[in-house]
Structures are given as structure tokens and as C-alpha cells.
Amino acid sequence: MGMWSIGAGALGAAALALLLANTDVFLSKSQKATLEYLEDIDLKTLEKEPRTFKAKELWEKNGAVIMAVRRPGCFLCREEAADLSSLKPKLDELGVPLYAVVKEQIRTEVQDFQPYFKGEIFLDEKKKFYGPQRRKMMFMGFVRLGVWYNFFRARNGGFSGNLEGEGFILGGVFVVGSGKQGILLEHREKEFGDKVNPVSVLEAARKIQPQTSAAETK
């Protein structure tokens, strides 16, 4: 009887742990970025002779859609990159550029990511786009039902990847208006494969007021 009680207790504890792992109780809490925080981020180009510049250059004139990539080799990140790239024709009509930032450059990982992403990619060595409060999902992610759903969705969509590079620091997507218009959309990945809604991205992009247009109305 004692062994049965221990077994039942262990099973109950495991079930409770699994239940809690599938709630938001233990998820890293995100902190919203301010425009001033994003503006001061140092980015680097990926050329042989990289240029360092402030992130505000990306959106100063026409605003921008920016993906903070969790890991270029991740098939879930490639899926989201393809989703955002599908918006490129409409973003081009609006005059809004599409960019991505990565936190590391390993071998050909960025180059291999580019077929999925139709915008320019920059290096954020200090991982500032993943802050102000950097969030991680560790191995708990692999017992979350939502993550497994995302795995199957991406696999069924024909996406594949590898395990190269750091993949626990969660990414996100920003839509930033021109000049001082501010952050129009901030999506923080809460678990592996938690994609931004492309419709929301496009709606936010339509709110961007290019600096040239603002000058003409004066």
C-alpha cells in the first residue's frame, strides 16, 4: 500500500508539474521597450568591413518592421521569417522597409537564413533588441503543448533547420514609426514558435507616417 501511495504521489506531482509548465506562471516576464531604448542600440552590418551605426537609422525616415531573430538556424524562426517576407510586396507599396537583427554570426547561419527572409540583416552583438529585460526559455519549452503544436505546424509547412547557435534567448518583432512616432507594435515571443500575427504587422505598418509626408503637410 505504501509503494502505491508513493507511486500515486509521484504521478500526481508529475501531472501538476506538467500542468504548470503549460501555463504562463513560470514564463519570463517581458518588459516593453521604449523608443529611446531602441534608438540607442548599436548595430553592425554583415559586410567584410562592418559599419557600426545606431538602430534609429533603420526607421528614421520611413519607419520599419524589424524581426529580432532567436536563432537563424531554427526552423520555427525560418517559418516566421517567411511569413514576414510574404508581406514584403505590401510593405514596399507603403514604403516601409523590412529588417532583421541576429545576436551572433556563426559560419553560414545568416547566409542560410536569407532565403527565408527578404530584408536586410544586421548584427546586434549586445543583444539589446532582445531586452530591455532579456528573457529565456530553457528545456521547459519542450513540455509545453503550444511548442509542440508550433513544431508540427512548421514541419508540416516544409521548414527545416539545425541546432547551431544560441536559441534560448527569446526574440520578437517590432513595427517602429518614423522619427519620433514611436513603437506601433511590439510582439515578444513567449515560447518557441510564438509567431507574430502578419495581419497585425500590416495594420501597424499602415499607421506609419513617413517623414517626407509629414514635411509636405507643413
Side-chain angles (χ1 to χ4, degrees):
M1 186 69 178
M3 292 298 293
W4 280 107
S5 297
I6 293 172
L11 188 62
L16 179 61
L18 184 62
L19 179 65
L20 289 174
N22 280 278
T23 68
D24 292 349
V25 173
F26 296 117
L27 293 183
S28 300
K29 305 302 179 186
S30 63
Q31 178 183 343
K32 285 189 175 296
T34 64
L35 181 63
E36 291 73 21
Y37 172 85
L38 294 182
E39 285 179 328
D40 199 45
I41 295 175
D42 289 321
L43 297 177
K44 282 186 177 180
T45 60
L46 299 178
E47 304 157 339
K48 288 185 179 179
E49 296 183 6
R51 178 178 74 91
T52 300
F53 64 97
K54 293 296 183 184
K56 66 179 181 180
E57 284 188 26
L58 299 182
W59 59 79
E60 206 157 27
K61 292 183 178 179
N62 298 302
V65 176
I66 305 166
M67 177 183 181
V69 182
R70 180 167 52 80
R71 190 169 63 80
C74 170
F75 69 104
L76 296 171
C77 299
R78 291 176 173 183
E79 179 195 31
E80 183 169 32
D83 282 356
L84 289 172
S85 294
S86 71
L87 301 177
K88 187 79 165 58
K90 292 180 180 178
L91 292 175
D92 287 345
E93 288 178 11
L94 296 169
V96 177
L98 175 64
Y99 299 117
V101 297
V102 294
K103 47 181 140 68
E104 56 188 355
Q105 188 177 12
I106 300 176
R107 291 183 282 279
T108 62
E109 288 303 291
V110 174
Q111 181 181 337
D112 295 341
F113 181 70
Q114 286 177 322
Y116 304 94
F117 189 77
K118 304 305 180 185
E120 286 188 75
I121 303 174
F122 303 98
L123 179 63
D124 176 12
E125 287 182 316
K126 296 180 180 178
K127 306 177 181 65
K128 293 288 189 178
F129 264 99
Y130 303 84
Q133 184 175 320
R134 204 174 297 167
R135 301 160 305 115
K136 287 187 176 183
M137 171 160 279
M138 305 300 283
F139 296 104
M140 181 184 72
F142 297 102
V143 297
R144 288 181 64 85
L145 297 178
V147 171
W148 282 100
Y149 171 81
N150 297 338
F151 283 169
F152 287 119
R153 181 197 64 218
R155 287 293 186 197
N156 290 338
F159 293 92
S160 60
N162 57 56
L163 298 176
E164 295 285 340
E166 196 287 321
F168 294 122
I169 298 175
L170 298 170
V173 173
F174 300 85
V175 178
V176 187
S178 64
K180 294 292 184 180
Q181 191 179 355
I183 301 169
L184 304 176
L185 181 145
E186 180 177 352
H187 170 79
R188 297 288 185 171
E189 186 182 26
K190 77 171 187 177
E191 62 184 7
F192 302 145
D194 175 31
K195 300 190 299 178
V196 70
N197 184 337
V199 174
S200 298
V201 172
L202 203 55
E203 286 176 352
R206 289 192 173 113
K207 296 176 183 176
I208 293 175
Q209 301 166 356
Q211 289 285 69
T212 50
S213 298
E216 287 171 3
T217 57
K218 288 183 180 180

